[in-house]
Amino acid sequence: MGTRGVIGDKWAMRILWTCAIGSAISLYMVAVERQMQNRDRMLAESVKAAEAEGAGDEV
């Protein structure tokens, strides 16, 4: 009647919290990476647009 699984309740909660914190950290890192990619893309588009305007003025 007193038998439980291999992992006790205390350790199960520790493992659960560790997985939850790890998932939150990885989601945060993905969000930061996407922000950097979006920023780089916007910068590249603005440089391309500026070059197109500059090329039109020179011709």
Side-chain angles (χ1 to χ4, degrees):
M1 205 155 114
T3 60
R4 294 189 180 223
V6 177
I7 300 174
D9 285 341
K10 182 170 75 172
W11 283 103
M13 287 299 292
R14 287 181 183 174
I15 292 169
L16 179 67
W17 276 106
T18 302
C19 291
I21 291 170
S23 295
I25 291 170
S26 63
L27 284 173
Y28 172 76
M29 291 175 70
V30 167
V32 168
E33 179 67 24
R34 286 186 181 174
Q35 256 185 344
M36 287 175 47
Q37 289 175 354
N38 287 339
R39 192 174 300 136
D40 291 343
R41 188 180 309 124
M42 286 174 42
L43 182 63
E45 288 175 359
S46 66
V47 167
K48 190 183 295 183
E51 287 177 352
E53 287 179 8
D57 292 342
E58 292 174 5
V59 173

